[in-house]
Amino acid sequence: MSGWIAVAGLGPGDDAMVTPQVRDVLAQATDVIGYIPYVARVAPREGLTLHPTDNRVELDRALHALQLAASGARVVIVSSGDPGVFAMASALFEAVEAHPEYIETEISVLPGITAMLAAAAAAGAPLGHDFCAINLSDNLKPWEMVEKRLRLAAQADFAMAFYNPRSKSRPHQFGRTLEILREEQGPDVLITFARAVSTKDEVLKTVTLGEATPEMADMRTVVLVGNSATRRVGRYVYTPRSAS
Ligand code: SAH
């Protein structure tokens, strides 16, 4: 029997946000591969081998999945949120490109609810008009590129979602991010810090850019920045659908 690979998104944390499609594919799997905390979200059962691995080994992980599938395994690579958003789906295709002997592998990508959409829903509708998503980590791209994209997106008055906003290994960059936003957008634009959305640790906090401090974000936070029209209504934050 020939194997296959499914790259599946587990959503932001709440089991109720795992799609039925992802549940079905996990029920058929012989092997589950992924970063330790994501694999920990998959219930063990007989006939299923869990392969938790450390972060930053995406290409090794992808190659391992390809090897297992070639030997007949039904492999699910798990990501949090959506697997196509700063996650394993691209890493898998990169591995296939580098190892063309696996080009015929049957691969499916199963979407999940990404952090920014779960966070936006919890806050109201801050991404209700045009928006963009930026990964603030400079692990895989130069910091100058991050700054350029931030500045141009702010000038274009996009609402924005920031993934990987701040880590211990790069403590200053999020402060710089806030500085650039204040330069381009002024102090009054709303910014929402959404931490551990849909888990028991969830905390949402909305302030103005003038009030925002770097400590408000960590690696479990997705940050949503409004456009110039984003406003509060009661306890919600929303961006009108028309530009004004
Ligand atoms: N593929 C994932 C993103 C992986 S990058 C997705 O689609 O959501 C990891 C970053 O995602 C974190 O640093 C954080 O910015 C964000 N993130 C993931 N889960 C989150 C959650 N439950 N609440 C808030 N942010 C989250």
Side-chain angles (χ1 to χ4, degrees):
M1 211 182 92
S2 63
W4 45 253
I5 301 178
V7 198
L10 296 177
D14 185 347
D15 276 348
M17 292 196 200
V18 179
T19 68
Q21 186 188 36
V22 167
R23 261 181 230 296
D24 284 354
V25 85
L26 284 169
Q28 295 167 39
T30 56
D31 296 83
V32 170
I33 293 185
Y35 180 36
I36 300 158
Y38 307 154
V39 173
R41 286 171 56 188
V42 177
R45 61 170 163 79
E46 217 178 287
L48 178 67
T49 308
L50 301 176
H51 305 267
T53 49
D54 205 348
N55 218 352
R56 300 196 185 205
V57 291
E58 280 95 350
L59 287 179
D60 299 347
R61 203 186 273 154
L63 187 57
H64 186 200
L66 289 165
Q67 289 161 345
L68 285 169
S71 64
R74 303 187 293 277
V75 184
V76 180
I77 304 179
V78 287
S79 286
S80 74
D82 181 273
V85 179
F86 312 128
M88 280 303 296
S90 291
L92 178 62
F93 291 117
E94 267 178 56
V96 173
E97 204 171 34
H99 298 272
E101 65 272 28
Y102 294 115
I103 197 85
E104 297 299 334
T105 309
E106 189 187 328
I107 294 173
S108 55
V109 180
L110 310 184
I113 298 176
T114 188
M116 70 177 173
L117 297 185
L127 303 180
H129 193 66
D130 298 340
F131 67 92
C132 64
I134 302 179
N135 183 350
L136 292 188
S137 165
D138 63 349
N139 283 342
L140 299 170
K141 62 189 166 190
W143 176 250
E144 296 68 44
M145 179 183 280
V146 177
E147 284 205 8
K148 182 175 179 189
R149 287 184 177 167
L150 271 172
R151 203 175 277 288
L152 292 177
Q155 283 171 8
D157 203 20
F158 277 112
M160 292 173 236
F162 300 143
Y163 287 75
N164 297 307
R166 186 160 173 264
S167 79
K168 291 197 185 76
S169 62
R170 40 186 183 85
H172 307 301
Q173 292 173 346
F174 190 62
R176 179 72 190 130
T177 298
L178 292 175
E179 252 173 51
I180 292 171
L181 294 177
R182 282 192 284 257
E183 277 170 35
E184 299 295 341
Q185 296 177 291
D188 297 329
V189 161
L190 294 179
I191 177 168
T192 297
F193 294 87
R195 183 170 196 274
V197 175
S198 90
T199 77
K200 62 176 180 18
D201 303 325
E202 175 177 307
V203 181
L204 258 77
K205 186 178 171 68
T206 300
V207 297
T208 63
L209 276 179
E211 295 161 340
T213 61
E215 298 70 37
M216 290 177 181
D218 66 6
M219 284 305 275
R220 292 188 74 191
T221 307
V222 66
V223 180
L224 306 179
V225 183
N227 70 15
S228 55
T230 303
R231 54 190 95 150
R232 294 180 193 263
V233 56
R235 64 187 176 84
Y236 301 100
V237 176
Y238 91 105
T239 303
R241 293 170 65 200
S242 59
S244 61

